[in-house]
Every structure is written in structure tokens, then in C-alpha cells.
Amino acid sequence: MKRTEIKHALAQEAGTDLVNLKGWVRTKRGSKNVSFIALNDGSTINNIQVVAENNISEDVLKCIHTGASISVVGTLVQSQGSGQTTELLASSIEVLGEANPDDYPLQPKKHSLEFLRENAHLRFRTNTFGAIFRIRHAMTFAIHNFFNERGFSNVHTPIITGSDCEGAGEMFAVSTLNKVNTPINDDGEVDYTQDFFGKETNLTVSGQLEAEMAALALGKVYTFGPTFRAENSNTSRHLAEFWMIEPEVAFADLNEDMDLAQDMLQYLCSYALTNCKDDLDFLDKRLQEEEKHKKKEERQEMSLIEKLKFVTENDFERITYTEAFDILRNSKPNKKKKFNYLINEWGADFQSEHERYLVEKKFKKPVIITDYPKDIKAFYMRMNDDGKTVRAMDVLFPGIGEIIGGSQREERLDVLKSRMEDMQIPEHELWWYLDSRKFGTVPHSGFGLGFERLILFVTGMGNIRDVIPFPRTPNNADF
């Protein structure tokens, strides 16, 4: 008999036709004459109640515990309880896989997020993580849909690379050299000519540079792939492995880049509100419950749904770095030394507390800051005529701060080479990147969106390790 997904069963009316549901038991309760089983198959956050009466063998029922998988054949009847309109009256139940209650970690009680991280292989089965990963899928689909509708080509850029896009040097090495008897050259350094690729290689920190090459022929491209940072930072905001969305557009200036970023973020938030309602409602209630236990000054002013509408219903405020600096320097939190990082000198890199102040207190809408000091931005960003700032832009959101970073790229060969020299980036390592500025260079722009940062915002979760299936962080590569 063909299986019916629980989300479809819950949408059906009561009837006499037999249906087959399969899933995992969330809870079982009852008396000698009847048992009530809450069943979930991952298709929806909502469980269906299975009613097992005397026709179901006691030997079968005693094998059914939280975590067990079962197949149920029965008829949909009008529910006698509250919370759902239909339930399944079982005519037969088959236990597919037992779960010993003495061993199964996810018993029906409240578990801490830390405990669930330690059991990441099972946390998908909880309401919270089921909701998170259904939303993550929806956002993945929406991103591809957004770019496809606008004529972008998806480009798969290399995971193994010989270049450091960000110039920070925090990269994971890729090598097949013998770790015990590593070959050494005449200069006493590792002889990478004997390595697999004949040179030093790493896991990529960004697909941007390669995406630029594609954009300078295809016009509009985007990447959506894994990136890696060997930054030894054990915080709730950092991962060693994460996913990035990076569009690049030929013939586009910074204003068009900002338009694209706003259009995309509003599209994604609107898509979530329309297509992930049940999961968002659950996570919204969860977040509001958490907020009750926080100190008043630590509570968020907006609910999860309100934050998403905050993005979809407001035009993003656009200000320069210098304007933002003046606002922050003269702000009450700065004057009263409430900021952890005081803003005194032009050129300071804004922290999350500054970004959130601009969004949540000053403008009460998403903010895009442009024209940052060149010394705190990457070599590939286009230099402004003042010689001090570059055509960069950061998009700031409530509760999270920066969610997108981008720029108009430096298309002038001489200026690009000068910037690389200033930042001590060897030309020979990026000869192919420089070639693009020799052969038909054009103005072009792009940005990067950290996918997990987006999922943090859309789900309201507070730790980035909870929005990726199996997080990779310092001293943690389990599962």
C-alpha cells in the first residue's frame, strides 16, 4: 500500500478509505483499552495522533516507545481532541524499528541545545531542528529560484584553490605529502612541487574571484557552495565550514549591487513567511518563551515574524561609513561609554553592537553602509576618488548585524596592482585574475551572503551551530 505523508493526511477530511502512514513515535500514552501515539514523519512539524484500540496486539504495542519507527494502516476519523481535525484509527500497526527507552537519548522532555549538539545525528527528530532544516531547505530552493528568475547562471567554483581571496591567511591546507617524512627543498621549506597539485593548495574561503571570471563572459552568475575558514574562534557566530551565496554582475556599479542585495533579502524573507508558516509559528513561540527568561534589557524588541516583516516592509536606509561614524560617535551609548567598543577615530571597524544600534535604534529599518576606509577592506574593492575609501557595502539586519558584504570590484589594472602591492599579495599567484583586467575589463560588482547567517535570522536561533546539520568548529569534527 502506498504511503501517505502526514502533512497530506492532516489536510484530508475523515473518510472510510484506508491510508498508510509511516513515521517515528514522538510519544505514546493510554490505558488498557486504548493507546494514543503521536507520529511524525518529518513532512510537517505537526504530529498526527494514532488511536490504537483493542484490535491492536498487546505484543505490538509494548514494542512501541518514543523513537521507534512504525507503519500504520487505518482510517482517518474526526479528532475528539483539540489541536487537529483528524486522527488515524489504526486497523494494523507494524513496528519497523524499535527504540529501547533505556538507550534512546531523545525522551519526551525538554533538552538543552548543547545536549542536542552532542547528539546532532538525532536532533533532526526534534520539533525545533525539524523546523530549522525544513526552513533551510526552503531558503536553498528560494535562492536558486531568485537567481534563475533573473537570468543568472549558477557556477560551481573550486573547493581546492591556490589563492587566498580574503588575504587573511586563515586557510585549511590540502596536501598528500607524507606527514612524517615531509620533503624539504634547498631553502629548508616544504617542497610542494612533490605534492599532488605541484604547489601549495588550500580549501577555499570564497568563490568570488573565480565567479568574477565567469561574470566577465556570462554577464550574471552566482555561486552557492561550501567555504572554509581556519579561524580559531569558538563563538556562537563562527564556523570552520559554512555555505556562501556569491553573485557577480558585469556592467553593474555599487548602486545596482545594493539594489540586488535588497531585492534578494526581501524575496527570501517573503518566501519564508509565505511557505514556512507552521515552522515559523513554532519557532516564533519558542523564541518568545525564551525571551521571558531574559533580563529586560537583553530582550529583543521584535518577534521572529515581526523581524521578517521588518525586512520585507521597509526600504533599506543607505548611508556612507563616514555618516555612520558620525552618528555612532555622537550617540548616547558611545558618549555614556555603554558600547563595548567605543567609536572615537575614523577608520574603526564597526562591531555588531554598532551595526545593531544603527538598525534597531537610529533608523528602525535595515541599513546599508557604503564607502568604507580602504585599510579595513579587501584588495579587490574599487578605490574611490578620495584615495581613502573603497566602493564597499555591508547590509545590516536587526538582531544580527552584518548579513551581506559586497563591493564594486576594482576593474582598473594599475589600481588593482597597486592595491595588491600595498597588501603584499604576490601578483604571480593571481596572474589569471589580473588577466581579466587586461582583456576587456568592465565595471562589475558582487556580494557574499553567509547562508548560515541568513538561516540564523530567519529561524531566530542564537547559535550558528544550530542551523547547519553537522557543525565544524575548533576541536569538533564529529559525525
Side-chain angles (χ1 to χ4, degrees):
M1 188 175 184
K2 187 176 181 181
R3 178 174 78 96
T4 299
E5 289 187 344
I6 288 174
K7 71 175 179 181
H8 297 310
L10 289 171
Q12 294 179 27
E13 294 182 357
T16 57
D17 292 340
L18 290 175
V19 296
N20 177 209
L21 305 182
K22 298 179 182 180
W24 294 270
V25 175
R26 290 292 175 84
T27 60
K28 187 186 81 169
R29 60 183 176 84
S31 62
K32 184 178 180 180
N33 297 321
V34 62
S35 292
F36 300 98
I37 301 165
L39 193 67
N40 190 283
D41 66 358
S43 62
T44 171
I45 197 165
N46 300 308
N47 304 326
I48 193 167
Q49 179 165 276
V50 176
V51 181
E53 296 182 332
N54 289 334
N55 59 316
I56 304 300
S57 165
E58 183 65 29
D59 290 338
V60 170
L61 290 174
K62 71 181 183 182
C63 295
I64 297 175
H65 302 285
T66 297
S69 55
I70 62 174
S71 173
V72 187
V73 174
T75 53
L76 292 169
V77 298
Q78 190 169 352
S79 178
Q80 301 303 306
S82 59
Q84 59 187 38
T85 57
T86 56
E87 58 192 19
L88 188 71
L89 181 60
S91 25
S92 67
I93 298 178
E94 178 188 359
V95 178
L96 303 176
E98 294 187 38
N100 189 324
D102 295 329
D103 297 329
Y104 186 59
L106 303 184
Q107 291 302 309
K109 62 179 182 179
K110 186 176 178 63
H111 296 289
S112 71
L113 293 175
E114 186 59 42
F115 173 81
L116 293 173
R117 284 178 213 128
E118 294 168 0
N119 291 275
H121 59 307
L122 296 173
R123 65 178 180 170
F124 297 95
R125 298 191 188 187
T126 65
N127 281 337
T128 297
F129 286 93
I132 289 167
F133 292 117
R134 279 188 294 270
I135 289 172
R136 185 179 171 109
H137 160 74
M139 291 296 92
T140 300
F141 177 82
I143 285 163
H144 287 298
N145 214 36
F146 172 83
F147 286 116
N148 187 61
E149 288 175 357
R150 286 155 183 77
F152 281 70
S153 296
N154 182 220
V155 176
H156 298 151
T157 53
I159 290 174
I160 299 172
T161 179
S163 60
D164 181 359
C165 176
E166 299 299 326
E170 296 166 332
M171 305 180 77
F172 290 101
V174 175
S175 176
T176 59
L177 292 177
N178 189 302
K179 295 177 182 179
V180 178
N181 298 308
T182 305
I184 304 298
N185 60 25
D186 293 339
D187 296 326
E189 299 173 339
V190 175
D191 186 1
Y192 285 105
T193 62
Q194 297 186 44
D195 208 347
F196 186 90
F197 293 105
K199 61 181 292 187
E200 188 174 1
T201 53
N202 309 283
L203 295 178
T204 185
V205 299
S206 170
Q208 178 202 312
L209 302 188
E210 292 89 351
E212 283 187 53
M213 303 304 100
L216 294 175
L218 299 174
K220 296 184 291 187
V221 304
Y222 73 103
T223 74
F224 191 164
T227 52
F228 309 84
R229 302 277 170 93
E231 182 180 357
N232 193 11
S233 187
N234 226 335
T235 76
S236 62
R237 293 166 59 91
H238 290 88
L239 290 168
E241 176 186 283
F242 54 99
W243 289 68
M244 286 283 287
I245 300 97
E246 297 175 292
E248 290 290 330
V249 185
F251 313 108
D253 62 16
L254 187 65
N255 288 324
E256 292 167 288
D257 202 28
M258 290 189 284
D259 291 343
L260 179 66
Q262 177 174 331
D263 190 17
M264 184 185 77
L265 290 169
Q266 290 182 323
Y267 177 94
L268 295 176
C269 290
S270 178
Y271 188 93
L273 287 165
T274 302
N275 295 280
C276 306
K277 187 177 185 308
D278 287 347
D279 289 324
L280 285 176
D281 285 344
F282 171 81
L283 292 172
D284 197 10
K285 290 174 184 174
R286 177 191 172 278
L287 186 62
Q288 289 180 43
E289 194 61 35
E290 277 194 347
E291 292 295 303
K292 292 178 184 177
H293 302 292
K294 292 182 180 179
K295 296 178 182 177
K296 188 175 181 180
E297 61 272 15
E298 294 176 351
R299 292 176 189 168
Q300 297 189 33
E301 295 181 5
M302 289 181 281
S303 70
L304 178 57
I305 303 298
E306 286 171 341
K307 281 199 301 182
L308 293 171
K309 290 182 177 179
F310 181 86
V311 173
T312 61
E313 295 174 359
N314 285 301
D315 270 335
F316 296 9
E317 187 74 25
R318 300 182 182 187
I319 59 173
T320 66
Y321 171 91
T322 300
E323 290 169 336
F325 169 79
D326 289 337
I327 291 168
L328 291 167
R329 184 181 57 179
N330 295 315
S331 68
K332 285 184 179 179
N334 199 60
K335 288 183 175 180
K336 293 184 177 181
K337 299 187 177 180
K338 294 289 181 68
F339 283 144
N340 292 319
Y341 298 89
L342 297 179
I343 297 295
N344 294 315
E345 294 185 13
W346 188 92
D349 205 355
F350 298 151
Q351 304 298 315
S352 179
E353 60 181 342
H354 309 132
E355 295 166 341
R356 290 186 60 185
Y357 172 83
L358 293 170
V359 172
E360 298 167 28
K361 304 297 183 184
K362 176 63 179 177
F363 293 107
K364 300 186 184 301
K365 60 173 68 175
V367 174
I368 307 179
I369 300 179
T370 66
D371 302 302
Y372 280 81
K374 66 177 183 179
D375 293 336
I376 59 174
K377 289 297 182 182
F379 75 95
Y380 50 74
M381 297 185 176
R382 195 183 200 279
M383 184 78 74
N384 281 322
D385 293 340
D386 61 13
K388 298 191 305 178
T389 61
V390 290
R391 297 288 284 161
M393 66 99 172
D394 285 349
V395 182
L396 314 181
F397 265 19
I400 200 166
E402 180 195 337
I403 194 165
I404 275 180
S407 72
Q408 184 171 332
R409 313 312 190 188
E410 183 55 79
E411 86 280 9
R412 299 164 297 183
L413 179 62
D414 56 336
V415 181
L416 180 61
K417 290 173 73 171
S418 176
R419 285 283 286 153
M420 290 174 66
E421 182 179 354
D422 290 344
M423 301 183 75
Q424 298 181 327
I425 298 172
E427 286 186 23
H428 70 271
E429 290 186 3
L430 291 174
W431 61 269
W432 52 272
Y433 187 72
L434 292 171
D435 264 6
S436 66
R437 274 60 173 177
K438 295 177 184 177
F439 311 131
T441 187
V442 300
H444 59 288
S445 300
F447 59 78
L449 168 64
F451 188 50
E452 283 70 32
R453 190 68 67 88
L454 171 71
I455 304 304
L456 272 181
F457 180 77
V458 176
T459 62
M461 298 302 290
N463 193 316
I464 202 164
R465 302 172 196 210
D466 295 329
V467 295
I468 192 169
F470 301 105
R472 297 292 182 253
T473 54
N475 299 313
N476 178 30
D478 294 334
F479 311 106

